[in-house]
């Protein structure tokens, strides 16, 4: 028997349907043609070209796991595979798709009125309209329930005041899903760009997720019509259910970044010669590669397992937390180990590793920090909440 393929050591390909393989291969081809040749420059300049949205829409990747309204209606595993391939390109590209599909389109699809769905979802699926998700505030990150942003009734209208911070796609979004406190609990509002009283300011000097726009949203007596509210949800269940969707994509995506780092380190180890032999021939390097291989294989298998559970409708939020905590943590460890194998080349943008390592620092923090997911798991097994 020949040794297993290093990049699919457990032959997970065998567990995928033909349609799932097709979606994976199409996304992988897009990343190879469109993202990899450009990404170092985008990262360096701190940009993600807006026209990418339309191209991702044409591929059917935006809101792909949603049914109807121009969405592709794939299963969760296909969505996960697309996230993995996109993040093998760059976490910024995967973040764009996660935010658009899981954080902006999903709440409209799940909690919106029929009119809201018809107005927003088809152009969002096509990438003609970009959305963002405003939950985090300057003083409320891990504890979003403390949010200060408020929405008050004025006659038939709503008036919003507050600031949202660290919002992916904020500055390029045509519509923001903003979560605000009302007399009736936390509710979601659709805020079109250009609404008087609504402005955005991009956050500069980021050294992570540079190929992704991150912004502040400012709402100053921002008046919205009565039908701007998402009618079907009240309370923190609304935003938390969206985060669960996006975290699912991260479980897969982080393994894409890890695979890219492993692939790069493996190629380097077999070609870089020191002390008259390839560095991959030294036991210390092989130990690193073996550890990377084990965690990459386990993490991808975990993603597939959780994906199958999601498709069967029996994936619990705590299980999503387990996946996010493990896979991002291990992806970061893989990226850091890969960086050491590349030596000095590991710190330049000529190779993908430092870019992925830097990106994963954001992925570790957003959609619930690793500490918050540890607390969720701690509560799940002890029955005792340790958040406060
Ligand atoms: C690049 C990027 C993009 C983002 N995109 C979005 C977006 O699109 N929309 C959005 O709404 N938000 C977004 N975020 C915000 C992100 O979700 C928050 O940064 C995250 O929830 C953490 O909040 P914080 O940064 O305020 O950290 P804090 O909550 O202040 O936490 C700081 C540290 O304290 C720890 N900590 C907090 N509470 C506890 C506790 N009870 N016990 C133990 N440790 C604790 C945390 O784990 C962390 O290590 C983004 C962030 C980044 C970096």
């Amino acid at each position: 028997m020949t040794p297993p393929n290093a990049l699919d050591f457990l032959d997970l390909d065998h567990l995928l349907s033909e349609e799932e393989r097709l979606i994976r291969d199409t996304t992988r081809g897009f990343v190879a043609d469109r993202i990899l040749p450009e990404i170092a420059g985008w990262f360096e300049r701190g940009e993600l070209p807006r026209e990418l949205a339309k191209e991702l829409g044409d591929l059917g990747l935006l809101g792909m796991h949603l049914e109807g309204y121009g969405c592709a209606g794939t299963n969760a595993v296909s969505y996960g595979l697309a996230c993995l391939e996109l993040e093998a390109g760059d976490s910024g590209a995967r973040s764009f798709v996660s935010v658009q599909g899981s954080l902006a389109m999903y709440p409209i699809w799940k909690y919106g009125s029929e009119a809201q769905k018809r107005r927003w979802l088809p152009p969002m699926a096509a990438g003609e309209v970009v959305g963002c998700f405003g939950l985090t505030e300057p003083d409320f990150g891990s504890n979003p329930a403390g949010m200060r942003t408020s929405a008050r009734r004025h006659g038939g209208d709503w008036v919003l005041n507050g600031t949202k911070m660290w919002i992916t796609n904020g500055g390029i979004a045509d519509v923001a899903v903003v979560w605000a406190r009302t007399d009736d609990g936390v509710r979601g509002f659709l805020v079109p760009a250009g609404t008087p009283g609504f402005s955005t300011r991009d956050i500069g000097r980021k050294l992570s997720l540079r190929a992704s726009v991150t912004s502040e949203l400012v709402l100053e007596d921002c008046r919205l019509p009565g039908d701007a509210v998402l009618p079907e949800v009240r309370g923190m269940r609304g935003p938390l259910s969206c985060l669960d969707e996006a975290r699912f994509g991260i479980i897969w995506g982080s393994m894409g970044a890890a695979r890219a780092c492993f692939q790069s380190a493996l190629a380097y180890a077999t070609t870089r010669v020191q002390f008259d032999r390839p560095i991959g021939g030294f036991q210390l390097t092989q130990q690193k590669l073996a550890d990377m291989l084990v965690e990459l294989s386990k993490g991808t298998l975990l993603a597939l397992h959780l994906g199958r559970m999601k498709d069967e409708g029996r994936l619990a939020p705590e299980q999503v937390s387990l996946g996010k905590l493990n896979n991002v943590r291990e992806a970061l460890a893989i990226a850091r180990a890969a960086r050491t194998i590349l030596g000095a080349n590991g710190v330049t943008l000529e190779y993908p590793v430092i870019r992925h390592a830097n990106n994963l620092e954001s992925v570790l923090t957003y959609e619930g920090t690793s500490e918050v997911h540890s607390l969720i798991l701690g509560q799940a097994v002890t029955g005792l909440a340790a958040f406060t």
Side-chain angles (χ1 to χ4, degrees):
M1 255 178 132
T2 51
N5 171 359
L7 298 183
D8 183 16
F9 207 73
L10 299 180
D11 194 17
L12 300 185
D13 182 75
H14 187 70
L15 302 177
L16 304 180
S17 71
E18 210 164 299
E19 191 190 340
E20 288 162 353
R21 278 191 210 114
L22 182 67
I23 290 171
R24 178 199 61 193
D25 293 344
T26 307
T27 314
R28 190 178 289 179
F30 176 78
V31 169
D33 295 344
R34 186 67 178 100
I35 295 183
L36 290 179
E38 303 282 351
I39 185 62
W42 295 341
F43 187 93
E44 208 165 14
R45 294 190 295 276
E47 65 186 33
L48 187 73
R50 165 78 196 224
E51 60 266 22
L52 218 55
K54 187 81 181 53
E55 296 169 41
L56 292 163
D58 288 344
L59 279 178
L61 297 181
L62 302 178
M64 64 188 282
H65 62 308
L66 308 178
E67 284 283 348
Y69 306 95
C71 303
T74 70
N75 66 2
V77 167
S78 297
Y79 173 50
L81 288 164
C83 287
L84 188 152
E85 295 303 331
L86 286 166
E87 196 149 353
D90 191 77
S91 303
R94 199 271 307 143
S95 295
F96 181 91
V97 168
S98 286
V99 168
Q100 179 82 348
S102 291
L103 293 181
M105 294 174 72
Y106 177 79
I108 299 172
W109 180 84
K110 180 90 177 157
Y111 306 122
S113 67
E114 190 55 33
Q116 289 169 336
K117 292 179 198 183
R118 282 176 198 254
R119 174 176 175 194
W120 294 108
L121 292 178
M124 290 176 90
E128 290 156 3
V129 164
V130 172
C132 69
F133 174 90
L135 178 64
T136 304
E137 299 188 356
D139 294 331
F140 297 93
S142 298
N143 178 25
M147 70 175 70
R148 290 203 187 101
T149 298
S150 67
R152 294 204 165 69
R153 278 286 197 185
H154 275 240
D157 293 343
W158 291 97
V159 175
L160 271 64
N161 278 289
T163 305
K164 297 292 179 180
M165 193 70 181
W166 301 109
I167 308 306
T168 303
N169 294 348
I172 57 166
D174 303 289
V175 61
V177 177
V178 172
W179 299 93
R181 175 180 299 291
T182 73
D183 289 343
D184 203 12
V186 168
R187 302 203 62 184
F189 293 85
L190 301 180
V191 186
T195 305
F198 174 48
S199 59
T200 67
R201 205 171 19 234
D202 290 347
I203 297 171
R205 310 182 86 176
K206 262 188 311 157
L207 296 178
S208 172
L209 266 191
R210 289 187 53 75
S212 174
V213 175
T214 316
S215 318
E216 188 180 356
L217 311 182
V218 181
L219 299 137
E220 290 167 311
D221 289 330
C222 175
R223 186 175 282 269
L224 297 170
D227 62 3
V229 70
L230 295 173
E232 301 299 336
V233 73
R234 284 168 178 73
M236 286 304 290
R237 185 172 68 86
L240 293 184
S241 64
C242 302
L243 290 176
D244 235 28
E245 292 291 306
R247 288 167 180 168
F248 173 76
I250 293 175
I251 294 172
W252 288 83
S254 54
M255 286 297 107
R259 188 188 71 195
C261 292
F262 175 62
Q263 188 172 10
S264 183
L266 186 57
Y268 199 84
T270 50
T271 53
R272 173 72 177 169
V273 173
Q274 287 294 288
F275 300 98
D276 301 322
R277 52 201 279 220
I279 57 169
F282 298 121
Q283 289 183 352
L284 290 177
T285 309
Q286 289 196 4
Q287 176 77 71
K288 291 179 191 173
L289 291 169
D291 287 346
M292 292 158 83
L293 176 67
V294 167
E295 293 307 331
L296 174 64
S297 303
K298 277 159 53 181
T300 312
L301 181 60
L302 173 62
L304 180 58
H305 175 66
L306 296 178
R308 294 286 180 231
M309 289 180 78
K310 185 165 169 60
D311 277 326
E312 289 165 10
R314 56 191 192 91
L315 181 63
E318 293 82 358
Q319 291 163 329
V320 174
S321 285
L322 185 149
K324 203 258 179 187
L325 175 63
N326 181 75
N327 282 12
V328 180
R329 184 164 67 188
E330 296 307 330
L332 199 46
I334 288 171
R336 288 172 180 159
R339 205 219 59 69
T340 66
I341 290 177
L342 269 72
N345 278 317
V347 305
T348 80
L349 282 174
E350 298 303 317
Y351 292 84
V353 175
I354 190 79
R355 177 169 53 76
H356 283 300
N358 280 11
N359 285 340
L360 286 167
E361 294 291 345
S362 286
V363 181
L364 190 72
T365 286
Y366 71 22
E367 311 283 351
T369 64
S370 49
E371 291 81 5
V372 163
H373 288 295
S374 299
L375 294 176
I376 291 171
L377 295 179
Q379 181 177 15
V381 294
T382 64
L384 304 168
F387 295 89
T388 53

